[in-house]
Amino acid sequence: RVVDLSHVIRDGLVTYPGLPAPVVTPHLTREDSKAKYAPGTQFAMDIVTMIGNTGTYIDSPFHRYEGGTDLAGLELSTLVDLPAEVFHVQDSVTRGIPASVFQDRDVRGKAVLVHTGWDEHFATPEYARNAPFLAPDAVTYLVEQGAVLVGIDSLNIDDTEPESGGARPAHTDLLAAGIHVVEHLTNLGALPPSGARFT
């Protein structure tokens, strides 16, 4: 069974408040294409303009660090068919997901996916308010334990509320360790705690 964990990108979609929404405009409509091709042959071609932080995406070290590896430089073996450990924490009473959540399973070499349930608010104003994130001790633990990738179905893997002061310890430490960050996942509730493969 294949489960799509990414949000659908559409014209005007707001992924992260304050960042520009994607713009999808026609370059060639099917109607206009009739004059360019043989009878009965039609095509549609669109122009998509969007910031990289749209929908569900992966952060490479370059996102945080000048001189870091960009998306084109990532090893495909670290992105494809990874064994996944899914942590279902949608009933958590704290916004910061602590290290204790991860300590009962082996995460070395795994894609660690954090199911908070926050994706139900995606593309609404609520999505940007008091969103769950990884607590600093969880970040330290996942780095020490050798996770390959960490993903979350929330606004950000870091706390983005004003009182955070703009600090981004999860991005800072995970990307420095070469651990990929995936944000704005969805449908994690459809995955078992262990046994799935993540691409």
Side-chain angles (χ1 to χ4, degrees):
R1 189 163 71 100
V2 177
V3 178
D4 187 352
L5 303 179
S6 59
H7 290 283
V8 175
I9 295 173
R10 57 176 166 72
D11 183 71
L13 172 75
V14 175
T15 298
Y16 196 107
L19 297 182
V23 178
V24 182
T25 54
H27 171 70
L28 182 69
T29 65
R30 292 191 189 282
E31 188 61 32
D32 291 341
S33 77
K34 290 178 182 178
K36 295 182 174 286
Y37 299 99
T41 304
Q42 300 175 26
F43 293 97
M45 298 180 196
D46 291 335
I47 297 170
V48 180
T49 304
M50 66 181 195
I51 191 167
N53 298 58
T54 299
T56 304
Y57 54 79
I58 187 166
D59 288 337
S60 69
F62 180 78
H63 176 57
R64 171 65 178 82
Y65 294 104
E66 184 177 357
T69 304
D70 66 7
L71 289 175
L74 299 181
E75 290 290 331
L76 289 180
S77 62
T78 65
L79 302 169
V80 176
D81 203 30
L82 301 173
E85 291 293 326
V86 184
F87 295 85
H88 299 283
V89 297
Q90 64 273 29
D91 296 327
S92 178
V93 295
T94 62
R95 289 180 52 233
I97 309 302
S100 58
V101 165
F102 306 102
Q103 291 173 343
D104 65 341
R105 283 193 258 164
D106 179 15
V107 298
R108 183 166 304 281
K110 309 279 181 67
V112 174
L113 307 178
V114 184
H115 172 218
T116 69
W118 205 251
D119 58 325
E120 72 179 8
H121 302 297
F122 187 76
T124 71
E126 290 77 24
Y127 190 66
R129 296 190 202 112
N130 297 312
F133 60 93
L134 283 189
D137 71 320
V139 173
T140 300
Y141 180 79
L142 293 172
V143 169
E144 290 174 348
Q145 295 302 308
V148 171
L149 178 149
V150 180
I152 194 167
D153 61 355
S154 182
L155 176 74
N156 202 294
I157 205 161
D158 278 300
D159 185 5
T160 60
E161 291 298 313
E163 55 269 21
S164 74
R168 297 293 186 265
H171 281 87
T172 297
D173 294 348
L174 292 172
L175 294 174
I179 299 170
H180 308 317
V181 171
V182 180
E183 293 170 310
H184 310 283
L185 287 162
T186 190
N187 296 328
L188 290 178
L191 303 183
S194 297
R197 311 289 293 191
F198 179 80
T199 296

